[in-house]
């Protein structure tokens, strides 16, 4: 089991305040990593994720950043690097979704989703990835989506951004795998989080979705604990450029 241990490692988890990101940060702490967390509305002190990480005996430092604001993103990166000389694991989980039919989808929706889900994730990966390359080791893990493979309904910006994340995972892997940096992604299926509340509140859509999931249930954030530890640890050292689906069997249906 030593392959899965993360003692002595520091992980940055974006979008860690709730849902999948919270579970991922907690899992990495359970495996031994210290956690740096950032979300748009995360309390820098006293957050629930800070308490959860510290309960595992690990250190936590919280940051707040609006990833839709490019200047704020760069200011966050500067502060992050100055306060944390080595970040071993980057979990690009932060994301947003805005729903409106494509013919009515306004520029503001499109621009915000692409900035948060795609542009900010590339910039953060590039700025932390270059340090990993210098050291000859590191793990970059993106949160993709079923819409990395499918088009979805009324979420054109989200689908476009998650398709891009799949391509970015492979593009970075092609350049960085030989330098000791593994880049992979996890594609969640239909998970009971804030992002899917509108779907779960729609009885017809919810029933149709559940009928297609072989596991016969919506996923839960805790379903991502095992996958994130695997991709962040030495157990996945020969795995790069992969998109791991955690979807209750949806993509195999």
């Amino acid at each position: 089991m030593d392959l899965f241990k993360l003692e002595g490692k520091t992980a940055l988890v974006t979008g860690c305040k709730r849902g999948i990101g919270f579970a991922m940060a907690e899992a990495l702490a359970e495996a031994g990593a210290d956690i740096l967390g950032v979300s748009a509305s995360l309390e820098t002190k006293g957050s629930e994720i800070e308490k959860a990480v510290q309960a595992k005996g690990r250190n936590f430092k919280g940051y707040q950043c609006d990833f839709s604001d490019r200047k704020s993103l760069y200011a966050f990166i500067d502060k992050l690097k100055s306060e944390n000389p080595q970040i071993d694991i980057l979990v690009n989980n932060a994301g947003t979704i805005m729903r409106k039919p494509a013919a009515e989808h306004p520029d503001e929706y499109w621009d915000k989703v692409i900035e948060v889900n795609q542009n900010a994730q590339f910039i953060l990966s590039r700025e932390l990835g270059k340090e990993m390359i210098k050291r000859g080791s590191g793990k970059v893990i993106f949160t993709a989506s079923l819409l990395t493979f499918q088009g979805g309904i009324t979420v054109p910006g989200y689908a476009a951004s998650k398709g891009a994340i799949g391509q970015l995972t492979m593009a970075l892997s092609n350049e960085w795998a030989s330098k000791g940096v593994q880049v992979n992604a996890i594609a969640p299926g239909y998970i009971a989080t804030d992002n899917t509340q509108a779907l779960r509140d729609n009885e017809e859509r919810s029933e149709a979705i559940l009928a297609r999931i072989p596991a016969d249930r919506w996923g839960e954030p805790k379903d991502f604990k095992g996958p994130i530890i695997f991709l962040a640890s030495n157990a996945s050292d020969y795995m790069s450029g992969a998109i791991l689906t955690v979807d209750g069997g949806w993509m195999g249906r």
Side-chain angles (χ1 to χ4, degrees):
M1 297 301 293
D2 287 351
L3 282 172
F4 298 91
K5 291 181 179 178
L6 297 175
E7 282 91 351
K9 303 292 186 181
T10 298
L12 171 65
V13 183
T14 72
C16 68
K17 184 174 181 178
R18 59 177 68 88
I20 293 172
F22 188 109
M24 287 177 167
E26 187 175 42
L28 294 173
E30 288 171 358
D34 291 324
I35 307 298
L36 308 172
V38 59
S39 291
S41 59
L42 181 69
E43 305 89 345
T44 56
K45 295 287 185 181
S47 66
E48 290 304 310
I49 186 57
E50 178 179 357
K51 295 173 186 175
V53 168
Q54 291 179 342
K56 308 298 180 186
R58 309 313 308 172
N59 296 319
F60 180 89
K61 188 181 295 184
Y63 296 88
Q64 190 175 105
C65 180
D66 178 0
F67 281 9
S68 69
D69 183 325
R70 189 73 62 91
K71 289 183 179 179
S72 294
L73 174 62
Y74 275 110
F76 161 65
I77 292 171
D78 288 343
K79 181 177 176 65
L80 182 75
K81 284 185 164 185
S82 69
E83 295 181 352
N84 307 280
Q86 181 167 323
I87 297 172
D88 307 286
I89 302 156
L90 168 60
V91 181
N92 278 307
N93 173 73
T96 190
I97 189 167
M98 305 188 80
R99 301 178 185 276
K100 215 171 190 60
E104 304 162 19
H105 209 79
D107 289 356
E108 311 89 76
Y109 279 26
W110 177 273
D111 290 344
K112 181 173 182 178
V113 170
I114 295 297
E115 192 65 30
V116 173
N117 293 8
Q118 180 178 329
N119 297 344
Q121 297 200 31
F122 170 69
I123 292 168
L124 194 54
S125 299
R126 181 189 66 204
E127 294 306 306
L128 297 188
K130 64 177 65 175
E131 303 302 325
M132 294 178 180
I133 290 168
K134 289 177 185 177
R135 294 194 305 270
S137 67
K139 302 280 185 175
V140 177
I141 305 156
F142 291 96
T143 296
S145 168
L146 292 183
L147 298 196
T148 300
F149 314 102
Q150 301 173 323
I153 301 170
T154 73
V155 288
Y158 185 83
S161 69
K162 291 301 184 177
I165 288 302
Q167 294 301 115
L168 183 58
T169 298
M170 293 183 283
L172 297 183
S173 171
N174 289 343
E175 296 189 35
W176 296 356
S178 65
K179 297 173 173 60
V181 180
Q182 291 82 49
V183 185
N184 294 289
I186 296 174
Y190 285 93
I191 313 300
T193 65
D194 293 350
N195 273 2
T196 60
Q197 189 66 56
L199 293 177
R200 288 182 287 124
D201 288 344
N202 184 320
E203 186 175 348
E204 184 177 348
R205 288 292 307 282
S206 183
E207 288 180 0
I209 288 167
L210 191 59
R212 179 176 163 166
I213 301 173
D216 197 32
R217 68 173 176 87
W218 285 73
E220 301 176 43
K222 67 180 182 180
D223 292 318
F224 294 85
K225 287 191 167 187
I228 195 65
I229 292 172
F230 169 61
L231 290 180
S233 70
N234 291 340
S236 61
D237 279 353
Y238 196 60
M239 188 172 178
S240 199
I243 303 172
L244 183 64
T245 56
V246 182
D247 62 355
W250 175 282
M251 288 300 295
R253 190 67 177 255

